[in-house]
Amino acid sequence: MDTIINIVGGIALLIWGIRMVRTGMTRSFGAELRKMLSLSSGNRLYAFLAGLTITSAIQSSTATAMIVASFAGQNLILTTAALAVMLGADVGTALVVQILSFDLHWLSPILIAAGVFLFLSSERNKRKNMGRIILGIGLMLLALKLISLASAPMRESELVSVMLLPLSQEPVLTVVLIALLTWISHSSVAAILLVISLANMQVLSVQMAVTMVLGVNLGAGLPAFVMTMKSPPATRRVTLGNLIMRAVGVALVLPTVPYAIAHIGSLSDHAGQTVALAHLSFNAVLALAFLPLLSLVSAGVTRVLPDVNATDAESGPRYLDMGALETPAVALNCAARETLRMGDEVRRMLDATSKVFLSNDDSLKRQIEDADDLVDRLHEAIKLYLTRLSKEEFDALESERCIEILSFTTNLEHVGDIIDKNLMELAGKKIKERVSFSPDGQQEIRAFHERIVANLDLAMSVFMSSDLELARRLLREKTAIRDLERRYVANHYQRIADGRADSIQSSSLHIDVLRDLKRINSHLTSVVYPILERAGELAASRLVDDAQEALQAAKPQTFDGSSEPKTAN
């Protein structure tokens, strides 16, 4: 029992070390790695090299699969190139295993000490993450040593021999069992290193260890495939294609294991090195075999997972890739893109609102009310998606972006509610009572509405770009809209005073429509506050310059127009 507990503890430490390296790499170089992937869409050889490089760095083909599958789902990379990335990712993990298969345990205390010192002594994120990477590598080497020491008694155990005997006679069962265990552990690197450690201690024969390596390679494709099962077809094609290529490779190589060992074994007398070379050879041969055939694989998975019709995807989110949740930066991009879609739906509602009021179109009114249901569903989906994402570790910028997305989606949802529950109710009243606006009033409402629609477009631009100048412009629009509403209300009251019958009849509706449109604008301008606050340009909910102007305007004026200070009573 102590042996099993120690091995399980060593495996847990190994997985944690791998996770620390992956987290440190994605935080330090995540933008560069994602840019490398996004630029690999045109050439499958470049895509292969990009996958190899990135996975060698982050030590997780699953993480690479999630990133590239998300890009494919957003049409940022072709399926063929994405599959080439995955072939490179598989070779990348094999290279990592090849390096770690050497006896480097003597480096462990040095790396752990250096990693802890660097992590604790720095306040800069870059250096802290480098410390995290170094510490993670040290923990991995320590874990491998612990696993080797813990598994030593198993070499002489008769019970272990009895348990392994059926597996040695059933290679297919071995592959399936190890594939499932790899899926559960979510780390093919950890699984391969465990097999190598057991082979080094002669707990496993070389042939059984290599058979298990095939199982690990099959299981390595399962986590990404399972995590993207509810994603759009374009996303799932990448993980399905990767799993199919692995499965075909395992099926073809499994019968040749005894012959392959004889050849690979001649390259090294060390059992662990032989297993590591077998793992590298399998993935290299798989890449050489499938790189020329990726167009056929892409066509096959596209036939299995065709694009859904637009009407099928209309009722729910399109871009919230659940498989991207392990990579916060990618997941935030997915949420932002879904938020833009939500904004487009709100814009369509707002754009149609003017037509309802001006044409008394009752059927269009009902369409707008139905559209709000979609806006509500998207808001709920984005909120739940980001709530799930919040369980992952964020850096400061990612945390701010998450809050900005939640805030903007909430304000868009409020805008949808104002249109649905307020403006459409007023429109229904106007249609029922056959009320008409005066020509001047109608022109003012149209102009006011067009200004709000333009501000909605500006708000979405600010949301995506965080441009400081656009943010200043949008906040100034809030003051301009308030002044414009006051002027239009004053004009309306003047028409009433002039005895205009149509203005008197539509008075309540006219004022309420202007008020609700101004409320919509207030929700839209809230997107600028985090941007202006970060820039130090926000004071008492105003731009610094505007606050000074407001203070000057608040001073009491003498009859000659000069300012004089207030005196205390």
Side-chain angles (χ1 to χ4, degrees):
M1 181 59 71
D2 288 344
T3 298
I4 295 175
I5 292 174
N6 289 333
I7 290 176
V8 170
I11 294 171
L13 184 61
L14 179 60
I15 293 173
W16 186 252
I18 293 171
R19 179 182 175 84
M20 290 191 71
V21 174
R22 183 174 72 241
T23 302
M25 287 299 302
T26 52
R27 289 187 181 181
S28 294
F29 308 105
E32 292 83 355
L33 297 176
R34 288 189 296 275
K35 184 178 180 181
M36 185 184 297
L37 280 178
S38 64
L39 293 175
S40 64
S41 59
N43 185 298
R44 67 181 66 180
L45 180 59
Y46 183 84
F48 171 82
L49 293 174
L52 188 154
T53 304
I54 291 169
T55 309
S56 298
I58 64 177
Q59 301 185 17
S60 174
S61 59
T62 299
T64 303
M66 292 298 97
I67 296 172
V68 74
S70 174
F71 284 178
Q74 298 176 52
N75 296 319
L76 298 178
I77 186 172
L78 298 175
T79 303
T80 304
L83 292 173
V85 170
M86 291 314 304
L87 289 174
D90 298 339
V91 176
T93 57
L95 288 174
V96 171
V97 168
Q98 186 67 41
I99 295 170
L100 293 175
S101 65
F102 292 99
D103 186 8
L104 301 173
H105 73 275
W106 55 273
L107 273 175
S108 173
I110 300 172
L111 294 176
I112 291 175
V116 170
F117 174 78
L118 192 58
F119 184 86
L120 296 179
S121 64
S122 177
E123 296 298 325
R124 297 175 58 187
N125 285 335
K126 200 82 168 181
R127 291 186 64 185
K128 287 177 76 72
N129 287 324
M130 290 304 298
R132 182 182 278 110
I133 293 168
I134 295 170
L135 176 58
I137 295 173
L139 292 178
M140 290 169 62
L141 297 176
L142 175 62
L144 291 173
K145 185 61 177 179
L146 292 176
I147 292 171
S148 297
L149 293 175
S151 59
M154 296 175 65
R155 189 188 333 179
E156 309 297 334
S157 174
E158 294 183 3
L159 178 60
V160 173
S161 299
V162 171
M163 292 175 62
L164 292 177
L165 182 60
L167 293 179
S168 64
Q169 298 173 347
E170 296 290 341
V172 175
L173 176 63
T174 302
V175 168
V176 172
L177 181 62
I178 298 302
L180 292 175
L181 291 176
T182 304
W183 171 38
I184 293 170
S185 70
H186 274 55
S187 176
S188 61
V189 173
I192 289 287
L193 291 175
L194 174 62
V195 172
I196 290 174
S197 295
L198 295 177
N200 281 333
M201 300 306 296
Q202 299 178 1
V203 176
L204 299 175
S205 66
V206 173
Q207 181 169 334
M208 179 173 286
V210 172
T211 303
M212 288 183 174
V213 163
L214 295 179
V216 172
N217 277 280
L218 179 61
L222 288 173
F225 175 73
V226 172
M227 285 189 288
T228 58
M229 288 184 70
K230 295 183 179 180
S231 301
T235 301
R236 285 183 285 156
R237 286 176 201 143
V238 178
T239 56
L240 176 61
N242 181 49
L243 184 60
I244 289 173
M245 289 187 294
R246 287 175 181 263
V248 170
V250 169
L252 293 177
V253 171
L254 184 58
T256 69
V257 167
Y259 311 102
I261 290 173
H263 178 69
I264 297 174
S266 64
L267 301 177
S268 174
D269 296 330
H270 196 273
Q273 280 293 305
T274 301
V275 175
L277 282 170
H279 178 49
L280 178 60
S281 300
F282 172 80
N283 285 285
V285 170
L286 194 70
L288 288 173
F290 276 103
L291 271 174
L293 304 176
L294 287 180
S295 297
L296 295 176
V297 178
S298 176
V301 293
T302 302
R303 180 171 297 181
V304 174
L305 297 171
D307 290 319
V308 296
N309 295 327
T311 54
D312 296 334
E314 196 68 30
S315 61
R318 297 176 184 170
Y319 307 111
L320 300 182
D321 184 1
M322 294 300 169
L325 287 171
E326 285 195 355
T327 311
V330 177
L332 288 172
N333 285 336
C334 293
R337 187 163 187 183
E338 196 68 56
T339 301
L340 282 184
R341 181 191 169 205
M342 182 180 174
D344 289 339
E345 293 297 329
V346 171
R347 192 191 190 285
R348 275 191 280 272
M349 292 174 64
L350 184 59
D351 198 43
T353 297
S354 176
K355 299 174 184 176
V356 173
F357 276 104
L358 299 179
S359 66
N360 291 338
D361 190 336
D362 192 54
S363 63
L364 183 57
K365 169 182 167 294
R366 289 193 296 270
Q367 290 178 24
I368 294 174
E369 291 169 340
D370 292 338
D372 185 55
D373 294 335
L374 174 58
V375 170
D376 290 341
R377 285 194 298 272
L378 293 179
H379 172 245
E380 188 69 17
I382 295 169
K383 181 174 65 177
L384 293 176
Y385 184 79
L386 292 176
T387 301
R388 291 185 62 182
L389 181 62
S390 66
K391 298 174 185 177
E392 300 293 328
E393 296 181 2
F394 280 138
D395 61 27
L397 290 177
E398 289 168 346
S399 181
E400 287 181 6
R401 185 57 173 165
C402 183
I403 294 172
E404 287 175 6
I405 295 172
L406 281 171
S407 176
F408 192 56
T409 54
T410 299
N411 280 291
L412 286 175
E413 193 267 342
H414 288 333
V415 170
D417 284 344
I418 292 171
I419 296 172
D420 177 32
K421 296 178 174 60
N422 295 83
L423 288 172
M424 289 304 100
E425 182 178 338
L426 294 173
K429 183 178 179 181
K430 180 176 181 290
I431 294 170
K432 182 179 180 181
E433 297 179 0
R434 299 182 181 277
V435 176
S436 297
F437 295 124
S438 67
D440 291 338
Q442 183 169 296
Q443 180 59 37
E444 289 173 353
I445 288 177
R446 180 187 288 112
F448 198 67
H449 173 270
E450 289 174 354
R451 192 82 170 259
I452 303 301
V453 172
N455 285 348
L456 173 55
D457 292 336
L458 183 57
M460 288 199 287
S461 296
V462 171
F463 168 73
M464 287 306 295
S465 67
S466 298
D467 185 272
L468 189 58
E469 184 55 42
L470 291 180
R472 293 191 191 107
R473 198 170 103 198
L474 183 57
L475 188 56
R476 291 191 181 99
E477 275 292 303
K478 184 175 183 179
T479 303
I481 289 294
R482 184 180 64 239
D483 294 341
L484 190 60
E485 185 230 7
R486 289 173 178 170
R487 179 155 62 88
Y488 285 163
V489 169
N491 292 345
H492 177 71
Y493 285 144
Q494 184 59 52
R495 289 191 292 270
I496 292 176
D498 294 340
R500 298 274 296 272
D502 45 8
S503 295
I504 295 172
Q505 186 183 21
S506 64
S507 180
S508 177
L509 283 173
H510 190 104
I511 299 299
D512 287 345
V513 168
L514 292 176
R515 177 205 62 194
D516 288 334
L517 288 174
K518 188 182 77 168
R519 286 174 58 205
I520 288 173
N521 191 73
S522 296
H523 284 295
L524 297 176
T525 54
S526 65
V527 72
V528 307
Y529 297 134
I531 300 168
L532 295 174
E533 188 173 5
R534 284 197 298 268
E537 296 193 13
L538 200 63
S541 300
R542 292 177 182 268
L543 290 171
V544 173
D545 292 342
D546 288 352
Q548 295 297 329
E549 291 174 8
L551 183 61
Q552 183 67 28
K555 292 181 180 180
Q557 303 291 316
T558 61
F559 288 108
D560 62 359
S562 62
S563 298
E564 64 179 21
K566 290 184 178 181
T567 56
N569 292 328

